[in-house]
Amino acid sequence: MVHKQTKQQFQGYNINNTNVKSEFNIFNSCYNNFDLIVEYTDTTTDRALNLNSSSNNFSKIESVSVYKESIEEIIYAVKGKFEVTYKKADNTLIPVKGDYKTFIYVLK
């Protein structure tokens, strides 16, 4: 899950403005708070699959709460669910869905 690293950048997050992407590029700054990176590798070919762009791929954040706070950082607990569809080279569609619970560390 992508997020801004400092409190100043992180504040004002919008949990309704999230995207799902199939790969993370450290040099790309065009991510929003809570964009979800979901990668899937076809074990028969050992190749990463791309998301099917015509499917309704989504990530739904259900809750964000402060878990713990210190003088250096704030730890948020994030809970949500996602549904995505991958497309193999032979046009076979692979639906994947799941839940996530994760912590996000934000510097003050």
Side-chain angles (χ1 to χ4, degrees):
M1 181 169 290
V2 179
H3 65 89
K4 305 298 183 185
Q5 293 183 334
T6 66
K7 181 180 175 183
Q8 182 180 5
Q9 294 172 318
F10 187 79
Q11 286 178 328
Y13 59 81
N14 182 350
I15 63 174
N16 296 316
N17 187 25
T18 64
N19 296 302
V20 179
K21 301 183 186 232
S22 60
E23 63 182 66
F24 178 72
N25 181 345
I26 195 163
F27 300 109
N28 185 351
S29 61
C30 297
Y31 295 107
N32 297 315
N33 274 327
F34 304 114
D35 279 358
L36 185 65
I37 310 301
V38 184
E39 297 177 342
Y40 185 96
T41 300
D42 183 348
T43 57
T44 60
T45 62
D46 201 32
R47 291 188 178 177
L49 300 181
N50 291 320
L51 290 171
N52 182 28
S53 59
S54 61
S55 295
N56 184 24
N57 301 312
F58 74 88
S59 169
K60 173 76 172 142
I61 306 252
E62 296 172 338
S63 67
V64 178
S65 57
V66 174
Y67 173 73
K68 189 175 181 181
E69 190 169 349
S70 70
I71 60 172
E72 291 108 13
E73 67 184 2
I74 303 170
I75 303 172
Y76 293 93
V78 180
K79 179 181 173 185
K81 61 184 175 182
F82 69 95
E83 286 188 27
V84 296
T85 302
Y86 290 93
K87 189 175 187 179
K88 293 176 75 169
D90 66 359
N91 291 326
T92 302
L93 299 179
I94 302 171
V96 178
K97 63 180 176 178
D99 299 317
Y100 53 84
K101 294 178 184 177
T102 190
F103 293 106
I104 290 179
Y105 297 79
V106 177
L107 300 174
K108 286 187 170 181

